[in-house]
Amino acid sequence: MDQRVFHSSMFLCLLLLITCNNIVLVPQAEARAFFVFGDSLVDNGNNNYLLTTARADAYPYGIDYPTHRATGRFSNGLNIPDIISEQIGSEPTLPYLNPALDGERLLVGANFASAGIGILNDTGIQFRLYELGARRVLVTGTGPLGCVPAELAQHSRNGECAADLQQASALFNPQLVQLVNQLNSEIGSTIFISANAFQSNMDFISNPQAYGFITSKVACCGQGRFNGIGLCTPVSNLCPNRNVYAFWDPFHPSERANRLIVETFMIGDTKYMNPMNLSTIMHLDSRT
């Protein structure tokens, strides 16, 4: 396989809420079960139970998690589903492979995400989720694939984002919005909500200082150019203050960047959320 194609595929399944297979079922007021489907951007520990090299179960992953231990999250601390749970007043969901996920805990929800799962090639899962009872489904678009430190390390000369990968995102995301609108029209209700992850990230990637970051090019944990080579391991370079780095490792945002992303999901206007943000959804559902 061509190396460039290989790396591009990795970005599609490893970066932020970057692909359309990161799907979050948002709870309604009377039934607050919260289910997550996706890749390493939203995996909260399923890969700990699988035979895979895509793991985040060792230091320094989890260094800023409340326990200061690696949990399987590809983050220095909390990831996006954790922060959404905080915002909507729910307990964090457990990985579906966690033995502690019993019937009572399922009332909270479950996380089915797994690092490295790849991209879905059809829309059938959306309808299956609806048929299973999901009444709010957040589908995130493709983020800035060409701007992650791993891409910069491999293909950027002066820290510029890879134009071809950025163009791929620009082609894909409007079509996702069209698909969401089509699905809602066919169902006759606002079930599916699209999140503009590209814009949510580009805000702080294009102007990191405005958001309190010192860089959006160099990962906190890694090695090589932009700390974008290889994996984050105990022998990697590690920044002392994760709050001033937009990227935690070569592919994944820091917890603080994740909080900025979730903020756009919660209160962002139609530039970020179509047709409405999560706060509006929660308000509407509380009245029904």
Side-chain angles (χ1 to χ4, degrees):
M1 178 183 292
D2 177 76
Q3 280 297 100
R4 186 60 182 277
V5 173
F6 173 74
H7 285 300
S8 298
S9 299
M10 287 183 64
F11 301 145
L12 285 169
C13 66
L14 288 180
L15 213 134
L16 177 126
L17 269 180
I18 278 238
T19 70
C20 59
N21 50 316
N22 287 305
I23 299 175
V24 173
L25 276 61
V26 180
Q28 291 196 18
E30 70 277 9
R32 302 187 73 86
F34 176 34
F35 296 91
V36 179
F37 302 85
D39 53 25
S40 62
L41 294 161
V42 291
D43 184 353
N44 67 349
N46 279 308
N47 278 27
N48 288 356
Y49 302 93
L50 299 174
L51 292 175
T52 174
T53 58
R55 305 177 74 88
D57 58 351
Y59 177 88
Y61 285 99
I63 189 171
D64 298 310
Y65 193 75
T67 62
H68 304 293
R69 294 182 178 180
T71 62
R73 292 166 172 83
F74 287 77
S75 171
N76 58 300
L78 302 181
N79 64 11
I80 286 174
D82 295 324
I83 299 166
I84 291 177
S85 292
E86 280 185 357
Q87 293 292 313
I88 65 178
S90 295
E91 296 179 32
T93 56
L94 289 177
Y96 85 99
L97 291 174
N98 190 320
L101 185 64
D102 55 21
E104 184 175 346
R105 294 299 295 267
L106 270 172
L107 296 176
V108 175
N111 188 309
F112 293 88
S114 175
I117 61 169
I119 282 192
L120 299 174
N121 60 3
D122 59 54
T123 61
I125 188 170
Q126 280 89 336
F127 283 111
R128 288 195 294 274
L129 292 173
Y130 175 72
E131 291 167 359
L132 289 171
R135 289 301 176 263
R136 300 292 189 187
V137 181
L138 172 63
V139 187
T140 63
T142 301
L145 307 180
C147 299
V148 298
E151 176 63 26
L152 301 186
Q154 293 289 332
H155 303 291
S156 176
R157 292 187 177 182
N158 300 305
E160 71 281 2
C161 299
D164 55 345
L165 294 179
Q166 295 295 87
Q167 179 63 18
S169 298
L171 292 172
F172 174 82
N173 288 326
Q175 296 181 63
L176 176 65
V177 174
Q178 291 177 8
L179 174 61
V180 163
N181 291 338
Q182 176 186 339
L183 291 173
N184 287 334
S185 177
E186 293 176 11
I187 293 171
S189 180
T190 304
I191 303 297
F192 300 98
I193 302 97
S194 63
N196 188 345
F198 186 94
Q199 189 60 55
S200 298
N201 284 268
M202 284 307 299
D203 286 349
F204 59 77
I205 287 177
S206 59
N207 190 4
Q209 287 74 28
Y211 293 85
F213 296 120
I214 61 172
T215 180
S216 60
K217 300 183 185 300
V218 180
C220 169
C221 183
Q223 47 272 327
R225 297 183 70 226
F226 303 103
N227 274 346
I229 303 297
L231 301 174
C232 174
T233 72
V235 297
S236 297
N237 301 319
L238 180 64
C239 68
N241 184 358
R242 275 70 64 184
N243 286 331
V244 295
Y245 281 72
F247 282 95
W248 156 244
D249 68 10
F251 298 100
H252 305 93
S254 62
E255 178 183 322
R256 185 160 174 274
N258 282 335
R259 289 190 176 278
L260 292 172
I261 294 163
V262 171
E263 183 178 2
T264 67
F265 293 175
M266 295 301 301
I267 63 174
D269 59 22
T270 53
K271 175 182 177 181
Y272 301 96
M273 301 293 292
N274 176 70
M276 66 188 81
N277 61 40
L278 297 190
S279 293
T280 301
I281 290 169
M282 297 296 289
H283 175 70
L284 291 174
D285 290 346
S286 70
R287 300 168 59 186
T288 59

